[in-house]
Amino acid sequence: MRKLLICGIGLLLAVMGSPFASAQHVIPQPEVMVLAEGSFSLGNVSKGVTNLAGNDLLVLNSYLSEVMGVRLSSVRRVARQSAFRLVCTGTARQAEQAADSARLQGYELEVTPQTVTIRALTPAGLFYGLQTLRQLEKEGQVPCVKVKDAPRFAYRGLMIDCSRHFWTKEFLKKQLDAMAYFKLDRFHWHLVDGGGWRMEVKQYPRLTEETAFRTQSDWVKWWQEHDRRYCHKDEPGAYGGYYTQEDIREVVSYAAARHITVIPEIEMPGHSDEVVFAYPELSCTGKPYTQSDLCVGNELTYTFMENVLKEVMQLFPSTYIHIGGDEAERTTWQTCPRCQQVMHENGLKTTAALQSHFTHRMERFLNAHGRKLLGWDEIMEGTLAPNAAVMSWRGTEAGLTAARSGHHVVMTPQEFCYLNMYQDEPMTEPKAQGGYTRLEKTCSYDPVPSAYKGTELERFIDGVQGCVWTEFIESPDHLEYMLYPRLLALAETGWTKHRKGYDDFRQRALQAVDRLRAAGYHPFNLAAEKGSRKESRSLMVHEGMGKSVTYLGRYAEKYRADGDGTLTDGRRGDWGYLEGRWQGFIDSTGVDVVVDMGKTTEIRDVEVDFMQQPEAVIYVPASLTLSVSEDGRNFHSLDSVVCTIQPEKGYLVYPYRWQGSIRGRYVRLKALPKEADAWLFTDEVIINRK
């Protein structure tokens, strides 16, 4: 079985360098590529030369022999007559710095009818030159070409959530192969969360003994409908798994051979349901299943986290250690005597400041061990730890703010970079975690806004990362379907300084999808993409367009779209609620709006759509009421509807329509939410469609 697996992994690059590839289909797009006449026959090459030696030579030879059948000999001086040459021109110090320097990852590739030469300052640069060579190959022939290339950003990452669903180390290696091929160099390994603790910690064995398995594989049933209980491995129906420390070393080594740094994430102080179950003394209540936050007023918590991080640092050589820091509930801290005492002793006014106090302590511990703290942008609440780096996911502003303050930032705004969202018409797609991010949108993202290009801020933006959260992704095939080809767009965003636009990228992505599929991956079928919602593609002209709207029930500011003019601007929403056309309402009044037609008008028809995305707790209304008024105070009811559509129906767009004939100036639409804390989203109140 293991032998077959290795062959399958090796097949990836062999097939990717197959008849599908050509000079027009390289991803990421190189900085400079000049084609010439003729080609080099790569299929006959089994030997090459390099000036690499020691472990660098050993690692590269192991990789090349597996994926290409080529073995390199080490020589002090690389002779020009050698047909296949890899020349490293930099110093050992530069090689050590390559992971943090885009310049040091650059390379030059020259192909003539007689020779292939790759030159680079570092082994990483040589490796990336080889990936370009592989993509250029077609039926054993490589076109004559000169390439001069270097990445835009040093950090080009992918995060996979292994807590909500457990992925085998073999599956992760398969994704590392694809990452390397497309020149991604950071694997952010989300190892622990409420879905299960996945890393063996020798000092705290209960973490894996008690919480690496749960009673239900289906996340929704387990988290929302089932008992949300952990169980032992040998119990009937147990689902889960964990990585032994030897497994982790194996994955880290495998990634390093592909010039990928593995960054572990150990969630704290929130998203820690599994920790406080295994060790309830680390909670504020002292009881399991009562909270998801650690007790940050308890010294035992700090001892526990420091001991865990010591084992993490023994396994992961990465500079950054990710501590999560997102979505802490902080509720129990408000009444916990120990938490309140810490707040009093340190003059902390809010629980956000208390979390910041905790994060500062964790950073000091990591810094003392030569490491740096990385966390989601919630770590900016309170005061940001002085040396911390920020992963900006709730939009882009947090990242830009951190960069303006001199903190390093990785940009991963969910609207563009979360790959667990729908990528095509949701009614025809596998279940996803709400939202809609098609390839074109992911491709459009630029981590550095035009106003900041060339400024001091730009140097603090380390790069970009795609994230895939797996609450609704249970199978390996489904995960690959969500990853590819959108991850390729982010690979190009992170690497290419001057991109040519979406049409050019899409043509290359179509070829990449074919190659991925031939290599045993399960990408989204880009060629069959349906695209954006039909209603969103053109302006909806109607008599209510541009008319003023009074909100009797206010929209949520985070989903304000274009504010008070949103519902009469003629622009209808796409399939997702994040793109700024759908307006979101969360309070008990629901949607309650009055459109002022400006004068008494014959009202002939009124239309309004509501979105349902149960994964994001967005439901259709429980009821709708339509009324009209001459004076804006006394309304006459025209229609009242009870909507019986249940969340179990999944994603849909519910169209409300009324037709008739009545005169009035003010049109009022009221929609009540189906349940408390459920969202309502609507995009346009259409009155008298033209």
Side-chain angles (χ1 to χ4, degrees):
M1 181 66 183
R2 176 63 181 157
K3 184 175 181 180
L4 288 173
L5 175 67
I6 292 174
C7 291
I9 292 172
L11 177 64
L12 168 67
L13 294 186
V15 174
M16 284 182 166
S18 74
F20 294 105
S22 78
Q24 311 306 317
H25 300 140
V26 177
I27 297 176
Q29 170 199 324
E31 185 175 350
V32 176
M33 183 166 65
V34 180
L35 291 167
E37 291 187 6
S39 64
F40 176 86
S41 181
L42 190 61
N44 297 327
V45 174
S46 61
K47 296 180 181 179
V49 294
T50 182
N51 61 343
L52 293 177
N55 190 61
D56 289 332
L57 176 64
L58 183 66
V59 170
L60 187 57
N61 257 334
S62 176
Y63 176 81
L64 272 178
S65 62
E66 178 183 314
V67 302
M68 188 177 170
V70 173
R71 187 160 189 85
L72 300 172
S73 298
S74 180
V75 295
R76 286 192 176 184
R77 188 179 183 87
V78 179
R80 286 188 173 274
Q81 60 267 30
S82 301
F84 192 84
R85 306 179 297 179
L86 275 67
V87 184
C88 187
T89 59
T91 65
R93 178 62 176 158
Q94 287 175 318
E96 291 176 3
Q97 296 173 334
D100 299 315
S101 169
R103 180 182 69 85
L104 295 177
Q105 295 181 30
Y107 67 91
E108 294 182 4
L109 167 66
E110 183 175 7
V111 180
T112 72
Q114 294 78 35
T115 61
V116 169
T117 305
I118 302 174
R119 295 181 182 275
L121 287 170
T122 66
L126 294 178
F127 184 84
Y128 293 132
L130 282 169
Q131 307 316 312
T132 299
L133 180 70
R134 293 195 141 330
Q135 293 195 38
L136 287 168
E137 181 187 358
K138 182 177 181 180
E139 297 179 341
Q141 300 295 310
V142 181
C144 292
V145 68
K146 286 187 177 181
V147 178
K148 185 174 183 180
D149 201 9
R152 179 184 182 190
F153 297 108
Y155 190 117
R156 306 174 302 279
L158 167 66
M159 187 222 75
I160 296 179
D161 169 20
C162 296
S163 174
R164 276 48 175 259
H165 283 97
F166 176 73
W167 311 101
T168 66
K169 63 182 179 181
E170 288 79 16
F171 177 77
L172 296 180
K173 287 180 180 180
K174 185 182 178 187
Q175 309 322 309
L176 290 168
D177 278 328
M179 288 177 64
Y181 185 71
F182 295 109
K183 303 187 179 76
L184 292 158
D185 70 343
R186 296 296 201 287
F187 173 47
H188 173 178
W189 200 351
H190 189 78
L191 283 161
V192 304
D193 210 313
W197 185 282
R198 305 297 180 204
M199 173 187 158
E200 178 188 23
V201 180
K202 295 188 182 295
Q203 189 165 347
Y204 298 102
R206 287 176 57 85
L207 289 169
T208 49
E209 291 172 357
E210 301 293 333
T211 69
F213 293 84
R214 61 180 191 244
T215 56
Q216 181 76 242
S217 62
D218 186 294
W219 171 264
V220 175
K221 291 180 179 178
W222 181 74
W223 189 257
Q224 298 178 5
E225 304 170 13
H226 209 253
D227 57 7
R228 203 185 293 191
R229 299 276 171 169
Y230 302 100
C231 65
H232 295 135
K233 178 180 181 180
D234 55 358
E235 290 184 27
Y239 170 80
Y242 67 92
Y243 306 100
T244 67
Q245 294 200 356
E246 188 54 40
D247 290 335
I248 291 172
R249 290 189 186 94
E250 186 179 330
V251 172
V252 169
S253 176
Y254 193 88
R258 287 147 182 78
H259 295 276
I260 296 171
T261 299
V262 182
I263 298 174
E265 180 178 352
I266 307 298
E267 277 276 8
M268 62 181 91
H271 283 281
S272 298
D273 308 68
E274 78 291 10
V275 177
V276 296
F277 172 76
Y279 295 95
E281 63 270 24
L282 301 180
S283 68
C284 295
T285 64
K287 300 176 183 179
Y289 298 122
T290 57
Q291 66 186 86
S292 62
D293 295 341
L294 298 168
C295 177
V296 295
N298 188 349
E299 279 301 312
L300 287 177
T301 296
Y302 295 92
T303 301
F304 169 85
M305 289 312 318
E306 289 175 2
N307 287 336
V308 168
L309 290 174
K310 286 176 184 176
E311 294 196 31
V312 168
M313 289 185 286
Q314 289 173 358
L315 296 168
F316 295 92
S318 58
T319 300
Y320 282 130
I321 303 294
H322 204 301
I323 66 138
D326 61 311
E327 298 178 332
E329 294 176 352
R330 305 172 185 160
T331 305
T332 56
W333 300 351
Q334 296 172 3
T335 56
C336 171
R338 288 176 297 197
C339 290
Q340 289 298 306
Q341 181 179 350
V342 170
M343 291 180 68
H344 176 73
E345 291 174 350
N346 292 276
L348 307 175
K349 303 299 184 184
T350 65
T351 53
L354 177 59
Q355 181 173 344
S356 179
H357 170 81
F358 170 85
T359 303
H360 279 64
R361 279 193 60 171
M362 289 297 101
E363 181 183 65
R364 289 195 295 271
F365 174 78
L366 290 172
N367 291 168
H369 288 78
R371 306 302 182 94
K372 295 181 180 179
L373 183 147
L374 175 61
W376 302 107
D377 57 52
E378 283 94 333
I379 67 172
M380 297 175 64
E381 297 170 8
T383 57
L384 183 56
N387 302 311
V390 172
M391 194 164 272
S392 186
W393 74 276
R394 296 179 299 176
T396 60
E397 187 52 41
L400 297 176
T401 298
R404 284 193 289 266
S405 300
H407 289 266
H408 285 272
V409 175
V410 176
M411 301 299 283
T412 180
Q414 61 175 333
E415 184 180 352
F416 301 94
C417 301
Y418 272 32
L419 309 182
N420 43 281
M421 296 185 181
Y422 289 104
Q423 59 192 313
D424 205 1
E425 182 180 326
M427 286 83 82
T428 64
E429 288 291 289
K431 183 178 284 190
Q433 196 169 349
Y436 169 64
T437 305
R438 64 183 181 274
L439 179 65
E440 183 175 8
K441 186 170 187 177
T442 299
C443 190
S444 72
Y445 178 59
D446 190 333
V448 183
S450 57
Y452 293 103
K453 284 182 168 59
T455 68
E456 180 71 7
L457 176 142
E458 187 170 7
R459 75 181 184 91
F460 289 103
I461 297 179
D462 291 350
V464 66
Q465 177 172 286
C467 297
V468 56
W469 300 98
T470 62
E471 285 92 334
F472 302 99
I473 302 172
E474 193 168 341
S475 73
D477 292 1
H478 187 183
L479 180 50
E480 291 179 350
Y481 184 90
M482 304 304 282
L483 283 175
Y484 310 110
R486 288 182 293 184
L487 182 61
L488 279 55
L490 292 174
E492 182 146 311
T493 298
W495 183 278
T496 305
K497 298 180 182 69
H498 305 290
R499 291 177 285 166
K500 294 182 179 179
Y502 179 66
D503 290 342
D504 176 84
F505 175 78
R506 188 175 189 275
Q507 290 306 308
R508 289 178 284 128
L510 284 166
Q511 297 296 323
V513 164
D514 288 341
R515 286 177 273 147
L516 283 162
R517 189 179 295 113
Y521 291 75
H522 301 83
F524 167 71
N525 185 3
L526 182 60
E529 181 183 28
K530 296 179 178 65
S532 58
R533 182 174 172 237
K534 179 180 65 176
E535 290 84 354
S536 72
R537 299 175 191 173
S538 59
L539 201 66
M540 169 55 66
V541 180
H542 60 99
E543 291 184 19
M545 188 174 171
K547 300 298 190 290
S548 66
V549 179
T550 299
Y551 287 81
L552 303 178
R554 199 66 183 163
Y555 50 79
E557 192 61 28
K558 67 183 294 188
Y559 297 120
R560 71 189 312 273
D562 287 329
D564 290 1
T566 297
L567 299 184
T568 55
D569 64 2
R571 300 193 311 149
R572 302 178 75 182
D574 208 336
W575 295 120
Y577 63 93
L578 293 173
E579 76 267 2
R581 293 192 183 181
W582 291 92
Q583 201 165 60
F585 300 77
I586 188 62
D587 63 31
S588 59
T589 59
V591 177
D592 193 355
V593 296
V594 178
V595 179
D596 181 1
M597 299 297 289
K599 62 181 180 179
T600 299
T601 304
E602 181 187 4
I603 309 301
R604 300 183 305 275
D605 56 81
V606 178
E607 308 173 33
V608 61
D609 288 343
F610 289 89
M611 175 187 291
Q612 175 160 289
Q613 284 202 27
E615 298 85 4
V617 199
I618 301 170
Y619 301 145
V620 298
S623 63
L624 297 99
T625 303
L626 179 68
S627 55
V628 67
S629 171
E630 284 282 2
D631 58 10
R633 295 185 299 275
N634 301 296
F635 283 86
H636 170 68
S637 178
L638 298 180
D639 193 22
S640 183
V641 173
V642 174
C643 182
T644 59
I645 295 173
Q646 297 301 312
E648 290 75 19
K649 294 288 288 184
Y651 183 103
L652 55 86
V653 175
Y654 170 69
Y656 170 75
R657 302 288 184 268
W658 174 86
Q659 289 183 314
S661 179
I662 191 168
R663 295 184 66 78
R665 173 174 172 173
Y666 300 93
V667 178
R668 181 178 182 182
L669 180 79
K670 183 175 178 60
L672 293 176
K674 191 170 289 291
E675 60 185 52
D677 299 322
W679 287 92
L680 289 173
F681 272 82
T682 188
D683 62 343
E684 186 81 359
V685 179
I686 303 166
I687 301 173
N688 297 344
R689 178 199 290 253
K690 291 184 177 180

